Amino acid sequence: MKKQFIKVVLSCTVIAGGFTVTSCSKSTSSKNVSRATGWKINEKEGGFQYNTDFKEQETAPGLVFVEGGTFTKGKVQDDVMHDWNNTPTSQHVQSFYMDETEVTNVMYLEYLDYLKSVYPPENPKYANIYKGALPDTLVWRNRLGFNETMTNNYLRHPAYAEYPVVGVNWIQATQFAEWRTDRVNEIMLEREGYLAKDAKYQALNGEVAGTFSTEAYLNRPESVYNGQIDSLQGKMKKDSVPAYAKRSSGIIMPEYRLPTETEWEYAAQAQVGQREYNNYRGRKKYPWEGDYTRNGQRVGRGDQLANFKQGKGDYGGIAGWSDDGADITAEVMSYKPNDLGLYDMAGNVAEWVADVYRPIVDDEISDFNYYRGNIYMKTAIGEDGKVNILQDSIVYDTLPNGKVVAVNLPGEIKMVPVDEEETYLRTNFSSSDNRGYRDGDPGSSRFFDRFSDEEESEELSMYNSPKHKVERDSAGNLIRQYDQSNDRTSLINDEVRVYKGGSWRDRAYWLDPAQRRYLPQYMATDYIGFRCAMSRVGSKSKTKNKTVRGQKAK
């Protein structure tokens, strides 16, 4: 047994004033002894268990570390559109991780194959899970263009395996990120011995019912794999006592998600490689240095640095000369990365980000991790006082275009909006849905609801977009009710999301990281893809600075 040595320091204080009093106290530098109580931590006999060996967050699969900092968001270099939807604001971003490349076809196919295996579409109960995740391959079609080759082959043919996936709407992108979170945490628990090595395959092959959900595991671990997790325990299980990891174990990764608009723009600018004053203030036009789209360095001089539309009828240049190497999308990593090591932050495909679109960016209320789209939820508690797990019920939603998607999968936690119990007398938020907070709409002003009824509120609304109603009857037939109002003045609502970056269909104007556009979250195109991000927990920099700032080094 390894002996544990505790360094004890005797500190004495002399108090003057006629009397000399010596006050001595013992302090310990051992990480396994509490500085609060003096009790030992992680004792086999019991007591407080905590991961005192945790060093820093591990970089999860596919991600690149982005150290946070300050930058000028929304500083577009050219504004020929004069649409006034971007205001330069100083913002600070916390450190985070971002996908090295856009999510590719083969990555998305892995997701589809998993859904098909665990939730067989031939089972009527699961039919819409797999179908709702399928990309829309018909986005390639053009009334006056021959694109059937892409319609039939782009998603599944191995020739396009490492090309960015398209035809995915915002909702599908967020659901892919949720699935990815569970699969990565599943393999992390397997690696650390909390799950057996074949656990994930038993669920995939149908040998055990149910699947793994990160939040379900953290809140009610005994419910995972449809209650069969005890039979899938790894080497951490001892004396027939199940072993479950907790957040305090430091093993569970934060969730994969879409990056916020602020994070995406910050990562695309990659100011880390150029720290002159002009760039610090937002004068960098592209993710690379310089004001031109061609390479100015000696090696590769004249080559295009991104995949974009160079002119009318020119999607790649003349064959064999001045060619950017692609006509539609290009294989990821075909062009040089930016200074952060991120590929295709300009061109190839535009990318979904998490934010709800508004033309106004309110930096007065938040200049730290700015994001519009917060809907605060909490876990639903059942009659037994435990977290409610959706084992048999699947929650579906019918989108305005008639597509049916699964909102919750079996084995996941049921979430409900926060209520007055969480918001009462709070100053930082007062409701669950904050997508319309301070967006310029009179309805978002303070006490507006006290003086206006619902009809008046809708008439005064700045963002009174059409409200179409789509639902299915008991026989599964679509019932579409289109908004017939002539008073609608906007297409902007809380279901419209921002997408960033230029694409293979766009001119160089859209390659500027500060440019922003929007599209309803249920729509997909042949030029919008996505990449995932993950929050950084702990220190700002990847290598912790052990010295105390302001203290002279010894």
Side-chain angles (χ1 to χ4, degrees):
M1 183 174 177
K2 215 172 183 180
K3 287 186 178 180
Q4 182 180 20
F5 294 95
I6 302 174
K7 180 181 176 183
V8 177
V9 179
L10 189 66
S11 60
C12 300
T13 305
V14 179
I15 303 174
F19 299 95
T20 301
V21 180
T22 303
S23 173
C24 299
S25 61
K26 293 180 180 179
S27 64
T28 177
S29 61
S30 172
K31 61 185 179 181
N32 283 321
V33 175
S34 169
R35 290 192 292 116
T37 64
W39 286 34
K40 291 183 180 180
I41 299 173
N42 299 326
E43 283 291 282
K44 289 184 178 180
E45 291 76 12
F48 183 52
Q49 302 295 312
Y50 200 80
N51 184 358
T52 55
D53 292 324
F54 184 83
K55 291 180 175 59
E56 65 176 31
Q57 182 177 346
E58 182 179 343
T59 302
L63 302 180
V64 170
F65 176 70
V66 181
E67 183 174 343
T70 186
F71 80 116
T72 302
K73 176 185 176 183
K75 181 67 175 177
V76 295
Q77 300 302 302
D78 301 302
D79 191 16
V80 298
M81 306 290 285
H82 298 290
D83 50 5
W84 295 96
N85 77 336
N86 230 334
T87 305
T89 61
S90 294
Q91 295 286 335
H92 190 95
V93 185
Q94 274 188 296
S95 297
F96 62 100
Y97 297 83
M98 182 175 274
D99 265 335
E100 186 179 24
T101 71
E102 295 129 344
V103 171
T104 62
N105 283 318
V106 71
M107 292 166 68
Y108 201 87
L109 284 173
E110 185 180 0
Y111 167 53
L112 292 177
D113 286 346
Y114 184 92
L115 293 180
K116 195 171 185 178
S117 297
V118 177
Y119 309 107
E122 57 270 16
N123 184 338
K125 179 181 176 181
Y126 299 141
N128 287 314
I129 293 179
Y130 176 75
K131 188 176 179 181
L134 286 171
D136 183 4
T137 57
L138 300 185
V139 295
W140 289 104
R141 284 181 171 168
N142 185 311
R143 294 181 183 88
L144 297 177
F146 179 72
N147 298 328
E148 288 305 290
T149 300
M150 278 82 79
T151 300
N152 296 327
N153 294 283
Y154 184 81
L155 175 63
R156 299 187 183 276
H157 197 285
Y160 295 112
E162 294 298 335
Y163 284 56
V165 67
V166 296
V168 175
N169 61 42
W170 184 92
I171 296 172
Q172 291 172 317
T174 57
Q175 290 178 336
F176 170 88
E178 293 171 3
W179 167 85
R180 188 177 177 185
T181 301
D182 293 337
R183 302 292 72 76
V184 169
N185 279 325
E186 196 171 19
I187 200 169
M188 289 293 179
L189 291 169
E190 175 187 301
R191 187 188 71 183
E192 298 299 323
Y194 287 92
L195 288 176
K197 286 191 175 182
D198 59 348
K200 59 183 181 293
Y201 296 117
Q202 289 191 44
L204 185 64
N205 298 329
E207 296 174 29
V208 296
T211 184
F212 176 89
S213 165
T214 300
E215 289 301 317
Y217 180 85
L218 288 170
N219 287 273
R220 283 188 64 182
E222 72 280 0
S223 70
V224 178
Y225 298 115
N226 201 27
Q228 301 177 64
I229 190 172
D230 283 356
S231 63
L232 300 173
Q233 289 276 301
K235 62 184 179 183
M236 293 296 288
K237 180 180 179 180
K238 296 177 181 178
D239 301 327
S240 301
V241 178
Y244 303 124
K246 303 176 182 178
R247 286 199 196 276
S248 57
S249 304
I251 297 168
I252 305 294
M253 287 284 182
E255 70 276 5
Y256 283 86
R257 54 178 174 79
L258 290 181
T260 66
E261 180 181 4
T262 307
E263 288 174 335
W264 193 98
E265 189 172 326
Y266 176 81
Q269 285 190 14
Q271 303 286 8
V272 65
Q274 189 73 25
R275 295 183 180 273
E276 283 96 350
Y277 176 77
N278 283 340
N279 286 311
Y280 174 76
R281 299 301 300 169
R283 296 294 299 278
K284 195 175 180 182
K285 188 173 184 178
Y286 299 117
W288 53 84
E289 292 303 319
D291 295 330
Y292 304 99
T293 62
R294 293 187 182 276
N295 187 359
Q297 297 177 356
R298 184 173 180 179
V299 178
R301 186 185 299 274
D303 290 346
Q304 290 288 3
L305 296 171
N307 174 21
F308 66 100
K309 183 177 179 179
Q310 299 178 35
K312 186 173 178 62
D314 184 357
Y315 288 85
I318 299 173
W321 179 85
S322 187
D323 191 1
D324 67 12
D327 38 29
I328 54 168
T329 56
E331 186 174 348
V332 296
M333 297 187 180
S334 294
Y335 304 88
K336 290 173 60 177
N338 68 7
D339 290 330
L340 290 171
L342 301 170
Y343 291 86
D344 295 320
M345 294 301 286
N348 215 16
V349 292
E351 299 175 17
W352 288 113
V353 295
D355 292 57
V356 169
Y357 175 81
R358 290 292 189 274
I360 297 173
V361 175
D362 191 347
D363 66 325
E364 292 182 4
I365 194 66
S366 178
D367 57 2
F368 182 77
N369 287 346
Y370 184 89
Y371 166 64
R372 180 178 291 282
N374 281 313
I375 301 179
Y376 298 123
M377 308 288 283
K378 64 179 181 178
T379 56
I381 306 299
E383 295 179 357
D384 58 357
K386 296 182 179 180
V387 172
N388 198 339
I389 305 294
L390 297 170
Q391 292 291 10
D392 299 318
S393 57
I394 305 172
V395 180
Y396 290 106
D397 186 23
T398 303
L399 305 180
N401 59 358
K403 195 178 186 78
V404 178
V405 295
V407 178
N408 284 103
L409 297 177
E412 293 183 344
I413 286 180
K414 182 179 180 180
M415 304 295 290
V416 295
V418 298
D419 52 28
E420 191 174 333
E421 185 177 335
E422 287 79 24
T423 62
Y424 182 65
L425 291 184
R426 282 190 177 274
T427 57
N428 54 334
F429 70 97
S430 57
S431 62
S432 171
D433 190 345
N434 296 273
R435 291 175 295 180
Y437 181 69
R438 287 175 63 100
D439 63 355
D441 191 318
S444 66
S445 61
R446 195 179 185 195
F447 304 135
F448 181 80
D449 56 335
R450 297 187 183 181
F451 306 103
S452 302
D453 58 29
E454 189 174 339
E455 291 183 3
E456 290 176 345
S457 176
E458 189 169 316
E459 290 175 2
L460 293 171
S461 175
M462 182 184 299
Y463 304 110
N464 59 342
S465 61
K467 293 177 173 57
H468 307 304
K469 187 176 181 181
V470 180
E471 56 187 3
R472 291 182 181 270
D473 60 19
S474 57
N477 300 312
L478 273 179
I479 302 174
R480 298 183 175 94
Q481 296 179 6
Y482 293 99
D483 191 329
Q484 301 294 328
S485 174
N486 294 320
D487 300 323
R488 302 303 183 190
T489 59
S490 173
L491 293 176
I492 301 172
N493 57 35
D494 290 343
E495 279 73 47
V496 168
R497 302 287 173 167
V498 178
Y499 67 94
K500 301 280 283 184
S503 74
W504 66 275
R505 277 194 178 275
D506 296 313
R507 301 290 289 269
Y509 171 77
W510 294 108
L511 300 184
D512 186 337
Q515 297 288 0
R516 60 203 301 256
R517 290 174 282 181
Y518 63 91
L519 194 72
Q521 64 186 27
Y522 57 84
M523 295 185 70
T525 73
D526 61 355
Y527 60 87
I528 299 180
F530 70 101
R531 72 179 75 209
C532 296
M534 179 184 287
S535 298
R536 164 79 173 179
V537 295
S539 61
K540 177 178 183 287
S541 59
K542 201 169 183 183
T543 303
K544 292 182 179 179
N545 185 357
K546 295 294 185 182
T547 61
V548 178
R549 294 184 181 274
Q551 177 176 300
K552 189 175 181 180
K554 295 181 181 180

